[in-house]
Amino acid sequence: KQEVTQIPAALSVPEGENLVLNCSFTDSAIYNLQWFRQDPGKGLTSLLLIQSSQREQTSGRLNASLDKSSGRSTLYIAASQPGDSATYLCAVLNRDDKIIFGKGTRLHILP
Amino acid sequence: NAGVMQNPRHLVRRRGQEARLRCSPMKGHSHVYWYRQLPEEGLKFMVYLQKENIIDESGMPKERFSAEFPKEGPSILRIQQVVRGDSAAYFCASSPGGGVSYEQYFGPGTRLTVT
């Protein structure tokens, strides 16, 4: 049974710092991995999607990596800004077409 | 092209009432997925539907919950005789086809509060 774990559960960093969010999954037979952003009381915004054959994806200040064999992904945020404060969710798409989500990392950027 | 729409965005029900949550998929999408996010928990898969057909309901509670996606109109998630433990955010996602080749696009969610 696929399980997705995100560490840390919460993180506070000063504005301008680079930071890394971690995600691990127990079953490497995934189709893809996706990082989402969720603002309080809002829906999910897709940030980056990495296919199982890819190693990383980049969008602006965000870079996501995938190491399928070790069951790990990281989301790197460069030059953090207060507007980056949100909950970041990692999700894997299993080959049975189900998305399994982690519980998220609550990120707070201190101005 | 409007995204996935869900309504209502917020729903308050007393214990024992029925809750109906609606999801209108993106134009051209024929597959809908429902997820539930309990407080302090991750989103969990509930049910996957194609028009007029339930493909996978392995995540649905056995009682009081049902879902449909008719030929015309939105997908409906129905919760009968709601209890406090049903309070959660319910998200739907849609895709243009079935299977892992198609990305799921998420709606803004419906936040259900049971008093």
Side-chain angles (χ1 to χ4, degrees), chain A residues 64-83:
Chain A
S65 68
L66 174 63
D67 184 342
K68 204 172 71 156
S69 60
S70 68
R72 294 179 191 276
S73 175
T74 60
L75 178 66
Y76 174 83
I77 302 177
S80 58
Q81 303 171 357

Side-chain angles (χ1 to χ4, degrees), chain A residues 24-86:
Chain A
S24 62
F25 46 96
T26 54
D27 186 349
S28 62
I30 63 171
Y31 190 78
N32 64 43
L33 183 144
Q34 200 163 359
W35 284 92
F36 293 88
R37 170 184 172 138
Q38 185 176 27
D39 292 280
K42 305 285 176 138
L44 279 68
T45 301
S46 178
L47 298 173
L48 291 164
L49 186 152
I50 313 176
Q51 301 292 348
S52 62
S53 58
Q54 297 175 321
R55 303 267 316 170
E56 65 176 349
Q57 282 285 347
T58 298
S59 175
R61 293 182 295 108
L62 305 180
N63 175 275
S65 68
L66 174 63
D67 184 342
K68 204 172 71 156
S69 60
S70 68
R72 294 179 191 276
S73 175
T74 60
L75 178 66
Y76 174 83
I77 302 177
S80 58
Q81 303 171 357
D84 294 331
S85 297

Side-chain angles (χ1 to χ4, degrees), chain B:
Chain B
N1 185 11
V4 178
M5 302 182 67
Q6 290 187 248
N7 69 81
R9 296 292 304 279
H10 300 274
L11 181 62
V12 179
R13 284 286 177 267
R14 290 201 178 95
R15 279 180 297 171
Q17 291 185 318
E18 178 180 286
R20 281 183 179 240
L21 288 62
R22 293 174 182 75
C23 170
S24 296
M26 289 178 68
K27 187 176 180 181
H29 287 195
S30 56
H31 295 250
V32 165
Y33 305 76
W34 285 93
Y35 296 83
R36 177 168 68 172
Q37 186 178 36
L38 293 166
E40 304 302 321
E41 294 288 326
L43 279 78
K44 296 237 183 331
F45 167 81
M46 298 181 75
V47 62
Y48 164 32
L49 309 103
Q50 192 179 2
K51 279 191 182 287
E52 299 185 284
N53 194 18
I54 296 175
I55 306 296
D56 183 342
E57 58 182 346
S58 58
M60 287 276 271
K62 293 289 185 281
E63 297 176 350
R64 302 186 297 107
F65 285 71
S66 62
E68 62 177 9
F69 188 16
K71 186 177 180 181
E72 301 291 338
S75 175
I76 307 269
L77 179 67
R78 182 181 177 210
I79 312 172
Q80 295 178 289
Q81 299 176 319
V82 296
V83 301
R84 286 228 172 94
D86 298 332
S87 294
Y90 292 82
F91 291 91
C92 92
S94 73
S95 66
V100 296
S101 304
Y102 298 93
E103 185 175 348
Q104 296 178 27
Y105 296 83
F106 283 80
T110 292
R111 277 148 187 86
L112 172 66
T113 302
V114 179
T115 61

